Amino acid sequence: QQPVQSPQAVILREGEDAVINCSSSKALYSVHWYRQKHGEAPVFLMILLKGGEQKGHEKISASFNEKKQQSSLYLTASQLSYSGTYFCGTEMENSGGSNYKLTFGKGTLLTVNP
Amino acid sequence: GAVVSQHPSWVICKSGTSVKIECRSLDFQATTMFWYRQFPKQSLMLMATSNEGSKATYEQGVEKDKFLINHASLTLSTLTVTSAHPEDSSFYICSVRGPYEQYFGPGTRLTVT
């Protein structure tokens, strides 16, 4: 089941903050965040695992509410290089081993202007 | 992270012909690779999971006879689009499953005329 991302698009000025949300109707094991620039491959930003473990880049932060099956990505003091489309990918709680896969949301287009 | 390459980076072919796309994991032994398709301004849609030495697992709605996947080694998976049609034109991206994240290749843009 495809996770729902919001907002669909956001425009910022350099230095401003943004929050991107991702929610699922199914119980999740992990949430992954990726950024994709036009015509390029997605780049890994962060993974949040059930139980509180997180791995990712220093300047990116995120949260994972296991009770609500929601995750939020926090972009602070945005830079021009933050522009791109942000995707969350969710791994269901009952997946694993040969059943492992990520289902990606529709994406959030972030534009950072000077 | 792992370095993943794809070849070719773009290809234009005529309707009815077949196209093979290669995905290589350059510095990571990949027992599992994934093939995604992405239409303009849309999300990454998983097509199939490619497992080294065994048959690929296709997502619902993906024709296994049209999109042939071979994962013969720990570093190479191939996707062959058979009898391509204009509606198959898309951005095809492979990824390698790491210990936590997926490492994506640069993608192959397929245009069928």
Side-chain angles (χ1 to χ4, degrees), chain A residues 2 32 34 36 39-44 47 49 53 55 87 91 96-98 100-102 104-107, chain B residues 32 34 36 38 41-46 49 51 57 59 91 93 97 100-107 109:
Chain A
Q2 188 175 38
H32 301 225
Y34 290 82
Q36 184 181 32
E40 299 180 8
V43 173
F44 171 75
I47 179 174
L49 300 166
E53 187 177 3
K55 292 185 181 296
F87 292 99
E91 179 187 0
S98 60
Y100 165 87
K101 67 178 180 182
L102 291 182
F104 287 91
K106 292 187 176 182
Chain B
T32 304
F34 302 94
Y36 293 86
Q38 187 178 36
K41 298 187 178 181
Q42 294 192 23
S43 186
L44 298 149
M45 300 304 296
L46 181 64
T49 301
N51 298 298
T57 303
E59 294 300 299
F91 193 48
I93 312 175
R97 182 183 179 185
Y100 291 99
E101 69 268 47
Q102 288 188 20
Y103 306 105
F104 284 88
R109 185 159 303 281

Side-chain angles (χ1 to χ4, degrees), chain B residues 53-98:
Chain B
S54 64
K55 290 184 178 181
T57 303
Y58 290 82
E59 294 300 299
Q60 195 171 9
V62 177
E63 300 174 58
K64 57 183 70 174
D65 294 333
K66 180 172 180 62
F67 299 98
L68 301 178
I69 292 172
N70 184 280
H71 192 157
S73 76
L74 289 172
T75 59
L76 175 64
S77 176
T78 61
L79 168 68
T80 301
V81 183
T82 63
S83 187
H85 288 98
E87 57 265 31
D88 297 324
S89 297
S90 188
F91 193 48
Y92 291 85
I93 312 175
C94 70
S95 72
V96 167
R97 182 183 179 185

Side-chain angles (χ1 to χ4, degrees), chain B residues 17-62:
Chain B
T17 60
S18 295
V19 174
K20 180 186 281 189
I21 302 170
E22 292 184 350
C23 176
R24 292 185 183 273
S25 178
L26 300 182
D27 57 356
F28 186 84
Q29 299 215 317
T31 55
T32 304
M33 291 185 175
F34 302 94
W35 286 97
Y36 293 86
R37 180 168 52 184
Q38 187 178 36
F39 293 106
K41 298 187 178 181
Q42 294 192 23
S43 186
L44 298 149
M45 300 304 296
L46 181 64
M47 299 175 66
T49 301
S50 171
N51 298 298
E52 188 264 336
S54 64
K55 290 184 178 181
T57 303
Y58 290 82
E59 294 300 299
Q60 195 171 9
V62 177

